[in-house]
Each structure stands twice: as structure tokens, then as C-alpha cells.
Amino acid sequence: MAQLWGGRFVNATDTGAFDFNASISFDKRLYREDITGSIAHAKMLGSTGIITEDEMDDMISSLQGILHDVEDGKLQITNEYEDIHSFVESVLTERIGDTGKKLHTGRSRNDQVALDMKLYTRNFIDSLDETLTVFLNTLLEIIKTNTDTYMPGFTHLQKAQPVTLSHYISAYFEMFLRDRDRLKDTRKRLNLCPLGCGALAGTTYPLDRDLTASLLGFDGPTRNSMDSVSDRDYLIEVLNDLAILMMHLSRFSEEIIIWNSDEYRFVEIDDSFSTGSSIMPQKKNPDIAELVRGKTGRVYGSLMSLLTTMKGLPLAYDKDMQEDKEVAFDAFDTAHFCVKLFDGMMKTISFNKEKLDKSARHGFTNATDVADYLVRKNIPFRDAHAVSGRLVLKCIDKGCALDDLSLEEFKSECEAFEDDIYEAISLKTCVEKRLTTGAPSKEAVMKNVRLYEELLNKR
Ligand code: ARG
């Protein structure tokens, strides 16, 4: 048991209590952030004259050595320490003696852990941003190459009106673009440095908080010391961002699972992203999509868990907050991995264009266009809607599509129909005449594509 305190204690810590209290098993992944923060703190202590320049140099080079040794596997982070902060300080003191004991001057583990988690979260957001950008590019490729791939759009999972595959995938593109923006917004808000707030009430040392903030790439120091050590809003925000991202991935997964079914056959998931059955030789299952859908619940759980942990905590730091880490790390890993896998699945998936086209031609997806045609011939929309409905009924009876009716059959419901009805309700017309902003025509979709390309190139 290696701990940083003990002066005022007479009895040794119960081993069960030590283990219960310890966080090293999961906060060891903060080693890089803890050492980076310590180096900035040491620089500041030296530049303000709180420690000598020699002491500062000693501390910094030893901290850099510790970082290298951990990364090279020469130094193991073992569970005898209470947490990552104790580990780093203890090793530093072993290596440079009394100077190492000065590192914690003007610092508490409360502002230290607040800093470490912010640094870790910021790095996470940046690397997820890269993965999301790769994923958005994968979707953009599908969008750009399928502006003529007609397919049905659905409401209530019933065929509604024809769209294109580009338009469909663009809808998901928009969702993931918002997800990326949401994370960027969260990053902006979290980017104030808590280091120097001490346990809760700042310190009496002449710390230069602006210096540490700028050394660590923050926009400035946080403004209230009590808020700084007890704020976990930014983590809740990230978990919320991830919960929404997972909800989008889960919807997309559901879509892919349906499209991959034998009844639909809109897509074929590549072998490399499918799994088989141990008993049924014919099976090729969409397990990756199903697992992404399943893991969504887990990320929601992390969000609920942290919200609940925080809801009753009085100011300032309370040990309850240590519970932020496992849920946050789990959600970070889960969401990031899901995006990567989904990207791989979408890069290798194939779309059955014939099936999509055929499906768009059946199911009366152009019934609205029959009504719209009559509106252009001066029939009120409500009456036109009823005429089209009766024609659909006729087709169901005959087992044909609207396009298969003869002009006489059209005319039997309304005299206004002319020969041009066939052109007006062709699949191509139905899609390409939808020119309004946000509609499925190639022209409207390509306008968005140009914007998407700009957005993806802008970092
Ligand atoms: N492991 C602790 C945490 O994650 C570090 C802060 C400890 N502070 C304290 N006052 N015991 O929150």
C-alpha cells in the first residue's frame, strides 16, 4: 500500500478499504496526462520562483524519463499505489529524492485529477473527431456515386415516395455531422484549465495560472476554484454527445439489418463484417450492426450513471466523483470502436441497385405524384388525392403498378388525365422534379455534396 498521506493516522488502512478506495486499476490510463500536467506545474513553480530553476529542471527531466519508461514498458504501473497521482509522485521521489517531494507544492489531487480528466477527454474528442471525419468521407463516397440509384423512402416502414440512395445516406451524413459539431462545441466549453485551484480554495502561493493554462493548450484558467474541482459537466456533455451518436449508429444499424434480410436484400454485408451460425450452415448474420445497436444501451447507461452520481453532491470535491472514470472510459472506448467498425462495414457493403430500383417501382411510391399531376390540371388537391387513392385500389385489384394502367383506366376516375401522365409519374420524374432545397433530386443532393466537401476539408 503506497499512499501520499498518513501523517495524522495512527492505524494502518484496512486492506479492503484500501482496495475499495484505490483507483489505480482504472486511472492508470491517465499517466500521460498526469505527467504532462505535472511538467507544466513544475515549469510554473520554477518560473514563479516557488522552487529553484535547478529543482525545476531536475523535476522536468525526471518526469520526462518516467513517461518514456512507462511507454517503453520499462516501468510498470502496479496496484500497490492508491492512484496514478501517487504513482507518479512516488517514482519521482524515488528517482530525485527531496526535490520530488516539492512537486505537489500548491497543488491538490482535486485540481490534478480535474486537469487529467479534462486533458484525457480533450484528446479523446480530437481522436474521435478524426475517426468521424474518416467515416463521413466513407458516407460521402456512397452519396457521390449513387445520385441515380433510385429506391423507396419509407414512413411507418411502409413504402412512401421514391428517393435515391444518395439522399438516404445523406440523411445519416447530416446526423453524424451534427454529432461531430456537438463534440466540437463541448470541447470549446471544457477548454479552461482547473490547475491551480488546489483542494477547493486556491492556494497562498503566487501561482501563475495563466502560464499553466497556456502551456497545456487551454484558452485560460477556470474562474472559480470550488466549481473547478467539482465540475464534471463537460464529461456529462461528452457522454450525452456519445449517447446521441450511438442512437444514430443504432438507427443506421437497424436499417442495415433490415436491408440485409432475405425479404429486402437491398444490401449485402461483406463476409469480413458478418458472422456465421454454429448450427445453421446457411446463415450469414449481421452481428456487427447488431452489436453496435446493442452497445448503445451501454453508453446510455454511462450517461445515466454519471448524472445520478453527481445529482446530490455538495461543493466542492467528493470522492463519489471518482466514479466518473470507469463509465467515461467505457463509453469513450465503446463509441469510438463502434464508429470504426461501422466505417469498415460501410466501406465494404454492397448495394443491390436492381433490387432498390425494383422496390421503388412497386408499392405505389408515385401515388402522390398522380395527385400532384391532377393539381397541375387545376383539380383541388383533396379531390386529386381521392382519385389517386381509387386508382391505387384498382391496381391492388389487378396486381399492377400505377404506371401499368391504360389511359382509359386513368380517365375512368378523372377526365383530366392525358397521355403525359406516364412521363409525370415515372420514377425519374418523381425524383428529379423534386428540386427544392433538401429534396432527393440529383441537383439538390449535389448542392449539398459541395457543401459537405467544404465542411470535411475544413478542420
Ligand atoms: N482518485 C481520485 C478521483 O478520481 C483522485 C482525487 C482524490 N482526491 C481526494 N481528495 N481524495 O477523484
Side-chain angles (χ1 to χ4, degrees), residues 23 27 82-83 85 109-110 113 232 317 319 321-322 324-325:
S23 50
D27 68 17
E82 183 184 336
D83 51 32
H85 327 296
R109 279 183 296 167
N110 297 353
V113 77
R232 297 295 180 274
Y317 177 83
K319 193 62 178 252
M321 288 181 210
Q322 180 166 288
D324 64 353
K325 287 174 200 63

Coordinates of all heavy atoms in Angstrom, one line a residue, residues 23 27 82-83 85 109-110 113 232 317 319 321-322 324-325, ligand 1:
S23 N -7.9 3.8 -7.0 CA -8.4 4.0 -8.4 C -7.4 3.6 -9.4 O -7.6 3.8 -10.6 CB -8.9 5.4 -8.6 OG -7.9 6.3 -8.1
D27 N -7.4 4.4 -13.3 CA -6.9 5.7 -13.6 C -5.5 5.7 -14.1 O -4.9 6.7 -14.5 CB -7.2 6.8 -12.6 CG -6.3 6.6 -11.3 OD1 -5.4 5.8 -11.3 OD2 -6.7 7.2 -10.3
E82 N -2.2 4.1 -4.6 CA -3.6 4.4 -4.5 C -4.2 4.8 -5.8 O -5.3 4.4 -6.2 CB -3.8 5.5 -3.4 CG -5.2 5.8 -3.1 CD -5.3 7.0 -2.2 OE1 -4.4 7.2 -1.4 OE2 -6.4 7.7 -2.2
D83 N -3.4 5.7 -6.5 CA -3.9 6.2 -7.8 C -2.7 6.6 -8.6 O -1.6 6.6 -8.2 CB -4.9 7.4 -7.5 CG -4.3 8.5 -6.6 OD1 -3.1 8.7 -6.6 OD2 -5.1 9.1 -5.9
H85 N -1.8 9.5 -9.5 CA -1.0 10.7 -9.0 C 0.0 10.2 -7.9 O 1.1 10.7 -7.9 CB -2.0 11.7 -8.3 CG -3.4 11.7 -9.0 ND1 -3.5 12.1 -10.3 CD2 -4.6 11.4 -8.6 CE1 -4.8 12.0 -10.7 NE2 -5.5 11.6 -9.6
R109 N -4.7 16.8 -5.2 CA -5.2 15.8 -6.2 C -6.5 16.2 -6.8 O -6.9 15.7 -7.8 CB -5.3 14.4 -5.6 CG -3.9 13.7 -5.5 CD -4.0 12.4 -4.9 NE -4.5 12.4 -3.6 CZ -5.0 11.3 -2.9 NH1 -5.0 10.1 -3.5 NH2 -5.4 11.4 -1.6
N110 N -7.2 17.1 -6.1 CA -8.5 17.5 -6.6 C -8.4 18.3 -7.9 O -9.1 18.1 -8.9 CB -9.3 18.3 -5.6 CG -9.6 17.5 -4.3 OD1 -9.3 16.3 -4.3 ND2 -10.1 18.1 -3.3
V113 N -6.7 15.9 -10.6 CA -7.5 14.9 -11.3 C -8.5 15.6 -12.3 O -8.8 15.1 -13.4 CB -8.2 13.9 -10.3 CG1 -9.4 14.6 -9.7 CG2 -8.6 12.6 -11.1
R232 N -18.1 18.3 -13.3 CA -18.0 17.2 -14.2 C -19.0 17.4 -15.4 O -19.3 16.4 -16.1 CB -18.2 15.9 -13.5 CG -17.2 15.5 -12.4 CD -15.8 15.3 -13.0 NE -14.8 14.9 -12.0 CZ -14.1 15.8 -11.2 NH1 -14.3 17.1 -11.5 NH2 -13.3 15.4 -10.3
Y317 N -15.1 19.1 -3.8 CA -14.8 17.7 -4.2 C -15.4 16.7 -3.3 O -15.4 16.9 -2.1 CB -13.3 17.5 -4.3 CG -12.9 16.1 -4.7 CD1 -12.9 15.7 -6.0 CD2 -12.7 15.1 -3.7 CE1 -12.6 14.4 -6.4 CE2 -12.4 13.8 -4.0 CZ -12.4 13.4 -5.4 OH -12.1 12.1 -5.7
K319 N -15.6 12.2 -2.9 CA -15.0 11.0 -3.5 C -15.9 10.3 -4.5 O -15.4 9.6 -5.4 CB -14.5 10.1 -2.4 CG -13.6 9.0 -2.8 CD -12.3 9.5 -3.4 CE -11.3 8.4 -3.8 NZ -10.2 8.2 -2.9
M321 N -17.0 11.4 -7.0 CA -16.6 11.7 -8.3 C -15.6 10.8 -9.0 O -15.5 10.8 -10.2 CB -16.1 13.2 -8.3 CG -17.1 14.2 -8.1 SD -16.3 15.8 -8.2 CE -17.3 16.7 -7.1
Q322 N -14.9 10.0 -8.1 CA -14.0 9.0 -8.7 C -14.8 8.1 -9.6 O -14.2 7.5 -10.5 CB -13.3 8.3 -7.5 CG -12.4 7.2 -8.0 CD -11.5 6.8 -6.8 OE1 -10.6 7.5 -6.4 NE2 -11.7 5.6 -6.3
D324 N -16.6 8.8 -11.9 CA -16.7 9.3 -13.3 C -15.9 8.5 -14.3 O -16.2 8.4 -15.4 CB -16.4 10.8 -13.4 CG -14.9 11.1 -13.0 OD1 -14.2 10.2 -12.6 OD2 -14.5 12.3 -13.2
K325 N -14.8 7.9 -13.8 CA -13.8 7.4 -14.7 C -14.2 6.2 -15.5 O -14.1 6.1 -16.7 CB -12.5 7.2 -14.0 CG -11.8 8.5 -13.7 CD -10.6 8.5 -12.9 CE -10.4 9.9 -12.3 NZ -11.5 10.3 -11.4
Ligands
ARG1 N1 -8.8 9.2 -7.5 C1 -9.4 10.4 -7.1 C2 -10.5 10.7 -8.1 O1 -10.5 10.1 -9.1 C3 -8.4 11.5 -7.2 C4 -8.7 12.7 -6.3 C5 -8.5 12.3 -4.9 N2 -8.8 13.4 -4.0 C6 -9.1 13.2 -2.8 N3 -9.4 14.2 -2.1 N4 -9.1 12.0 -2.2 O2 -11.4 11.5 -7.9

